[in-house]
Amino acid sequence: MTFKALLTTKTGETISTHLVDFKDEDLMPGDVTVAIEFSTVNYKDAMALSGRSPVIRQFPLIPGIDFAGIVETSSHPGFKVGDRVLVNGWGLSQTHHGGFAQKARVNGDWLVKIPEVFSTQAAMAIGTAGYTAMLSVLALEHDGLTPDRGDILVTGASGGAGSVAIALLSGLGYRVIASTGRQEEGDYLRDLGATQVIDRNTLSQPGAPIAKERWAGVIDSVGSHTLANALAHTQYRGVVAAFGLAQGADLPGSVLPFILRNVTLAGIDSVNAPQEVRLQAWSRLAQDLDLSRLARTTQMVGLAEVPTVAGRVLEGKVRGRTVVDVNA
């Protein structure tokens, strides 16, 4: 039996991805086999397919850092045939075949049962980006932020994680400031719940080590000068959740926000988060995310379109979430 998959190969320094027929027996070891229904194109996927970052650590490999589908076979005690499951991160698209295929075999300890309120398509409309956004909201709450404390800045607001973060925060009663380099997306961001939209250029250049207090918290997907400036403008005892490096992996800032304003910088890792954290995040997504707002963030593509979409993600030309129908 064969199935369709995107396979990424490397010849010399050249990385390329092609749609191929893949065999069941060529899948990697695991105790659960899943018939995949949907995956997504995340920023990390775009980095992997482009070769800009060494996300893929062995070749050839099926990329795709997440997927949702139906259990086809299982020897894992926690899952049975017919269960609806998803996976985010772990070794997918790094050392283990990922979600850009019609089938996957994985370690059952990586899987999460999809909450009843979500279809497999909705689970991937959320995907790793939305799950990461929820982890960020949990980090803000863990350090005591509540809507009455003040505004929350969301950088990279037009992207997948930013879009879901805005929908979540606004639904929880926070006043959200959305930072974007695409001012034409202002109506889209306000429709998701942003109360103010600012130009990312106001944060992306070198700035003062500490500046006027503007927001109580931040969810940042950008890094570099943007994160440094976001920290500099954070209020006393504010919280900044950081998970991205779209502008850069550097942090050209100062200790002043930490020692003068007692600001907390919370790092967010979605790849290796423990299972109890994942379950909490998906439970809260089921409780707090407005599915009608989620639908506004989503576009659908087929497997063959993924490489093109990945290129557009890196160019900053994709809004919100891109769901991949692997059977289209």
Side-chain angles (χ1 to χ4, degrees):
M1 295 289 292
T2 64
F3 57 90
K4 296 295 182 183
L6 287 178
L7 192 67
T8 300
T9 59
K10 185 175 184 180
T11 304
E13 296 303 312
T14 301
I15 292 175
S16 58
T17 301
H18 301 283
L19 189 63
V20 301
D21 290 320
F22 210 75
K23 296 179 181 179
D24 282 28
E25 55 263 36
D26 291 330
L27 288 170
M28 291 179 172
D31 51 7
V32 181
T33 301
V34 179
I36 299 175
E37 295 186 341
F38 298 96
S39 184
T40 66
V41 183
N42 299 281
Y43 187 82
K44 187 174 180 179
D45 294 314
M47 296 287 281
L49 268 66
S50 71
R52 288 193 190 182
S53 179
V55 174
I56 299 176
R57 298 175 188 171
Q58 65 181 62
F59 295 89
L61 200 73
I62 297 171
I65 65 171
D66 52 15
F67 65 75
I70 310 298
V71 172
E72 189 174 86
T73 65
S74 174
S75 59
H76 189 283
F79 300 96
K80 65 182 186 302
V81 174
D83 283 345
R84 302 180 319 124
V85 296
L86 62 86
V87 61
N88 305 107
W90 295 113
L92 297 189
S93 197
Q94 294 181 291
T95 58
H96 199 95
H97 288 316
F100 293 154
Q102 293 175 324
K103 191 174 292 191
R105 184 180 298 128
V106 298
N107 183 337
D109 291 341
W110 297 354
L111 297 170
V112 170
K113 289 184 180 178
I114 297 174
E116 286 297 323
V117 297
F118 298 137
S119 64
T120 51
Q121 179 179 333
M124 284 297 98
I126 298 166
T128 293
Y131 150 67
T132 304
M134 188 72 248
L135 291 176
S136 301
V137 172
L138 290 172
L140 300 186
E141 293 178 344
H142 177 77
D143 282 288
L145 283 196
T146 53
D148 62 323
R149 284 280 303 277
D151 298 347
I152 305 295
L153 171 71
V154 176
T155 67
S158 299
S163 294
V164 178
I166 292 169
L168 284 168
L169 289 165
S170 62
L172 290 167
Y174 291 91
R175 185 179 186 276
V176 181
I177 300 173
S179 168
T180 180
R182 303 167 64 189
Q183 292 303 300
E184 69 275 14
E185 300 291 4
D187 289 344
Y188 163 76
L189 296 171
R190 282 183 282 269
D191 192 42
L192 287 178
T195 50
Q196 183 181 353
V197 179
I198 64 173
D199 192 323
R200 72 179 178 196
N201 291 327
T202 63
L203 298 172
S204 61
Q205 303 302 315
I210 195 162
K212 180 181 178 181
E213 297 178 51
R214 297 178 63 183
W215 33 72
V218 180
I219 293 180
D220 176 65
S221 62
V222 179
S224 193
H225 290 292
T226 297
L227 176 55
N229 286 318
L231 286 162
H233 285 285
T234 300
Q235 298 169 9
Y236 189 79
R237 295 189 66 83
V239 184
V240 177
F243 59 82
L245 40 67
Q247 185 179 9
D250 57 326
L251 181 54
S254 163
V255 299
L256 293 182
F258 308 114
I259 63 176
L260 296 182
R261 291 193 183 146
N262 203 14
V263 169
T264 296
L265 176 58
I268 306 299
D269 165 53
S270 63
V271 176
N272 297 302
Q275 193 72 345
E276 61 269 22
V277 174
R278 294 168 182 267
L279 293 173
Q280 181 188 16
W282 280 98
S283 175
R284 282 290 302 276
L285 283 161
Q287 173 184 315
D288 296 331
L289 184 59
D290 184 335
L291 289 177
S292 65
R293 286 185 173 178
L294 178 65
R296 298 170 206 165
T297 74
T298 306
Q299 63 168 322
M300 185 83 69
V301 299
L303 269 179
E305 300 169 83
V306 168
T308 299
V309 173
R312 295 183 66 240
V313 168
L314 293 178
E315 294 170 358
K317 295 180 179 178
V318 174
R319 181 178 78 181
R321 305 288 295 124
T322 301
V323 175
V324 181
D325 181 348
V326 301
N327 297 302

